[in-house]
Amino acid sequence: MQTCKRCHVQIRGDKRVCPLCGSPLSGTPEKSPFPILKKRIFTRLLILRTALFLMIAVLIILPVMQYFAGRPLPWVPLAMISAVIGFADISFTLYYRNNALKTIHVQLYLGIFVCLIVDKFTGWHRWSVTWAVPAIFLGLIAGTILTGLILRAALQDFVLYILLDTLLSAVQILFLCLGWNTNPVFAVCSIVAEILFFLGILIFRWRDFKSASERYFNV
Ligand SMILES: [Zn+2]
């Protein structure tokens, strides 16, 4: 136990000076009564900086490799885009780490983007628009509902996500019109299912939708 001669207080732990008056202490210091927390080595900022550095490194090194190869390397653009998407993904996940629904949405929308790009750079066989994109949109709706149920959220807390998914899945109509789908059945079923599902919510759970919209748009 250490003692301050001026304040006449006893101080536990190992202090250099009296915390009240700043005078030197007498007596023998003891082990601190409070646990010493180890500093976290991997902070969010460090992860973000590392990801940023790796992305920039890839964006610089690959064009240099391309230059020395003297011929176009077909995988270079894909690898560079992947680096940017990977960085965006890590940033979004760190930023929205407390919001499971936002994280799922950002991940899967990025997934759609990645599928389209990979398909494009690997010969454009259109498996992305024909199979992957409709499946991801269906998965988004199922995932949103499941997450809502697991988190025991009220429908009004996640109904706007379902609206967003339904509206964005309509972009597939554009793909269909452009003739990108080698087999349009799956995409058409996916769009119809989502629109029906959302209309069902509007008709049966109108109040949830209305209160969510009011809260979101401050009407
Ligand atoms: Zn003192």
Side-chain angles (χ1 to χ4, degrees), residues 4 6-9 18 20-23:
C4 175
R6 224 165 120 191
C7 313
H8 304 290
V9 289
C18 169
L20 298 173
C21 68
S23 314

Side-chain angles (χ1 to χ4, degrees), residues 7-54:
C7 313
H8 304 290
V9 289
Q10 293 191 313
I11 291 141
R12 291 189 66 191
D14 184 3
K15 295 275 188 297
R16 223 162 42 78
V17 291
C18 169
L20 298 173
C21 68
S23 314
L25 299 168
S26 62
T28 39
E30 51 187 19
K31 239 182 106 201
S32 171
F34 304 108
I36 297 163
L37 294 176
K38 266 194 191 148
K39 250 185 126 182
R40 281 168 64 188
I41 301 170
F42 290 105
T43 57
R44 270 187 295 143
L45 195 61
L46 184 61
I47 297 173
L48 204 61
R49 282 177 174 159
T50 311
L52 179 67
F53 180 74
L54 287 176

Side-chain angles (χ1 to χ4, degrees), residues 108 112 131-145 165 169 172 186-195 197:
L108 288 181
I112 290 175
W131 304 107
V133 175
I136 291 176
F137 273 115
L138 284 177
L140 256 175
I141 297 227
T144 306
I145 296 167
D165 298 337
S169 82
Q172 295 185 83
F186 190 41
V188 171
C189 290
S190 154
I191 299 168
V192 169
E194 283 180 29
I195 290 173
F197 179 75

Side-chain angles (χ1 to χ4, degrees), residues 36-186:
I36 297 163
L37 294 176
K38 266 194 191 148
K39 250 185 126 182
R40 281 168 64 188
I41 301 170
F42 290 105
T43 57
R44 270 187 295 143
L45 195 61
L46 184 61
I47 297 173
L48 204 61
R49 282 177 174 159
T50 311
L52 179 67
F53 180 74
L54 287 176
M55 178 190 75
I56 293 173
V58 167
L59 293 184
I60 291 174
I61 291 170
L62 289 187
V64 173
M65 279 177 71
Q66 169 96 64
Y67 174 76
F68 281 113
R71 62 188 166 85
L73 302 170
W75 51 271
V76 162
L78 185 60
M80 286 173 71
I81 293 169
S82 308
V84 175
I85 292 174
F87 173 69
D89 191 33
I90 291 171
S91 320
F92 281 131
T93 310
L94 286 174
Y95 189 74
Y96 290 129
R97 69 197 183 288
N98 296 326
N99 188 331
L101 278 172
K102 260 194 190 140
T103 308
I104 291 172
H105 276 80
V106 169
Q107 297 289 339
L108 288 181
Y109 282 130
L110 276 174
I112 290 175
F113 196 57
V114 170
C115 285
L116 288 171
I117 285 174
V118 171
D119 195 1
K120 184 85 190 159
F121 279 95
T122 53
W124 196 227
H125 300 291
R126 301 176 189 183
W127 51 267
S128 56
V129 273
T130 308
W131 304 107
V133 175
I136 291 176
F137 273 115
L138 284 177
L140 256 175
I141 297 227
T144 306
I145 296 167
L146 258 176
T147 313
L149 291 176
I150 291 169
L151 297 176
R152 295 167 188 276
L155 179 62
Q156 49 166 296
D157 290 334
F158 57 93
V159 70
L160 288 184
Y161 283 104
I162 301 175
L163 174 65
L164 179 74
D165 298 337
T166 313
L167 289 177
L168 285 178
S169 82
V171 79
Q172 295 185 83
I173 297 173
L174 178 71
F175 298 162
L176 288 166
C177 292
L178 290 169
W180 284 4
N181 298 56
T182 48
N183 180 359
V185 177
F186 190 41

